[in-house]
Each structure stands twice: as C-alpha cells, then as structure tokens.
Amino acid sequence: MEKNTFWFKHDYNANNDYKILFLRQQLGIEGYGIYWYLIEKLADSGGFLPLKIIPVLSLQMQTNEAKVDAVIRMFELFEIDNENFFSLRLNKSIEKIINLKEINSIKGKLSAEKRKNNS
C-alpha cells in the first residue's frame, strides 16, 4: 500500500511571523515545537484533525493538553470548523501537490499512449 508523503514550503523565517512571535513569547520554543508537530500531523492526516484528539496529541508530544489547546486556539495559526482544526496554508499546499500529481499522471499516460502508437 502506497503512503502519500507530502512536503510543503517552510519559510526559513517562519519564526519571525508575528503570530509565531506571540506564540513563542507565551509558550517558548516548546510552543513552536508543538506548532510544527501539529502541522506535520495535519499533513499526515490529509489536512484536518478532530479537536477531540488533543489529549492523544499532547501525550505523543509529552506535554499537557492546555498547551496544545492554546497553540490551536489562541494564536490564529489554525482554523476551527465544527469539531476539527486545520491550517489554510497547509491545505492549499496539499491541494497544489495533489493537483500537480494528477497533472503529471495524465501527462505520463498520454506520453505512454503516444509511445505505444508510435511503435
């Protein structure tokens, strides 16, 4: 079974974003690590995670639920829709990657068909 592994652009100066600066001011580098862990988990899950998973995420990160909840809710880094949280920027990146993958697949099939017809 193939597992999708997404990569996304990471601004080299993301730590200077004003939202991240507020996060770091309140929660230190631990908050910054929580943020990037959440981004990675969101990417791995297709872009959305339920809020009810916060206890599990905090256990995985060996931190407390209040810190994880604060990173999700307090710094405008994530969107919350009903019972899920997500990152608009990450989801746009995932969408671009999926679209590019589909385009390349179509191009590959057309190229293979063309080679088949030329032989």
Side-chain angles (χ1 to χ4, degrees):
M1 177 182 283
E2 179 183 325
K3 173 139 173 84
N4 287 325
T5 302
F6 295 111
W7 59 270
F8 50 90
K9 291 183 180 182
H10 172 124
D11 298 333
Y12 70 89
N13 62 348
N15 64 330
N16 290 321
D17 177 270
Y18 77 93
K19 294 175 185 177
I20 296 292
L21 289 172
F22 283 124
L23 166 74
R24 290 176 42 219
Q25 188 265 331
Q26 293 292 314
L27 297 173
I29 200 69
E30 181 183 10
Y32 192 56
I34 291 169
Y35 168 73
W36 282 110
Y37 187 87
L38 293 172
I39 290 292
E40 290 174 2
K41 294 304 261 184
L42 285 166
D44 193 41
S45 70
F48 296 86
L49 283 171
L51 289 167
K52 67 182 180 183
I53 201 170
I54 290 173
V56 175
L57 295 170
S58 64
L59 180 66
Q60 290 174 334
M61 288 184 268
Q62 299 176 348
T63 191
N64 65 56
E65 293 176 32
K67 289 180 184 177
V68 177
D69 191 70
V71 172
I72 293 169
R73 295 178 191 270
M74 288 182 52
F75 301 98
E76 299 177 357
L77 295 165
F78 299 99
E79 302 291 324
I80 297 175
D81 180 18
N82 296 323
E83 298 156 4
N84 298 306
F85 72 97
F86 59 97
S87 164
L88 288 174
R89 183 170 182 180
L90 174 66
N91 287 356
K92 286 178 186 176
S93 294
I94 291 172
E95 186 178 326
K96 285 180 185 178
I97 292 166
I98 290 171
N99 289 340
L100 183 60
K101 201 173 185 182
E102 289 172 3
I103 289 168
N104 288 338
S105 175
I106 291 168
K107 285 181 179 180
K109 289 174 185 174
L110 291 173
S111 179
E113 186 67 30
K114 188 175 182 181
R115 283 193 309 274
K116 180 181 172 185
N117 290 338
N118 287 339
S119 19

